[in-house]
Amino acid sequence: MSNQVVARFLNGRLLKGTSLDVDPGKPVCHVRPSTGPAEEVMLAELKALFFVRSLEGDAHHEEGSQPDPADPRLRGSVSVKVRFQDGETLIGLMNRYPPNRPYFFVVPVDQKSNNVRILVNRAAVASLEPGVGA
C-alpha cells in the first residue's frame, strides 16, 4: 500500500510524495514526489517522516493538544510531548515509552490531524516527556 508522506529533513528541506518501503529498522526509504523519480531518503537525515491524509494539509486547522477520553487509541498508549531540537513541539501517543530504537512512531493526539502517524528520528529530539495532556 502506498503512503502519502512528508519528509522533514534536519537541514530544513521538505519532500512530499508517496512511499512504499518505510521501515524504521532499515536505514533507507524512497519517496516519490508527484513529478520526477523517487528519491532515496536516509532516515538519519530526517527530523521526522509524517504519514499524512493529504499532501496539501489544512493550514487553518489548529492541532489539538488534549486527548479525548473516549479515544480508543488511549488504551495501552502513553501521551507524550516531543520537543524537537528546532523548537517544534508535537503532542502524541506512543505504544512503547520510552522508545528503545533510533526511530519511533508517534500518533497525533488530535484525531482530526492531517498527520496519521509520525516516524520520529530520536537524534532530532531535544526532549520527550510522558503523561502530557492526560
Side-chain angles (χ1 to χ4, degrees), residues 12-34:
R13 180 175 173 235
L14 191 71
L15 175 63
K16 296 181 180 185
T18 58
S19 184
L20 295 168
D21 65 348
V22 178
D23 180 344
K26 295 184 179 175
V28 176
C29 70
H30 296 83
V31 175
R32 180 178 303 281
S34 60

Side-chain angles (χ1 to χ4, degrees), residues 5-87:
V5 296
V6 176
R8 305 244 340 249
F9 291 82
L10 291 167
N11 67 6
R13 180 175 173 235
L14 191 71
L15 175 63
K16 296 181 180 185
T18 58
S19 184
L20 295 168
D21 65 348
V22 178
D23 180 344
K26 295 184 179 175
V28 176
C29 70
H30 296 83
V31 175
R32 180 178 303 281
S34 60
T35 59
E39 291 189 35
E40 187 173 85
V41 174
M42 300 294 296
L43 295 185
E45 295 177 358
L46 292 178
K47 168 183 162 179
L49 185 67
F50 296 81
F51 292 76
V52 296
R53 299 178 205 284
S54 160
L55 292 174
E56 293 77 35
D58 180 1
H60 302 293
H61 178 73
E62 268 191 53
E63 200 76 12
S65 61
Q66 296 294 318
D68 177 353
D71 186 346
R73 301 175 309 156
L74 291 175
R75 277 185 238 114
S77 65
V78 174
S79 61
V80 294
K81 179 179 183 179
V82 180
R83 190 171 58 81
F84 291 97
Q85 291 179 6
D86 67 3

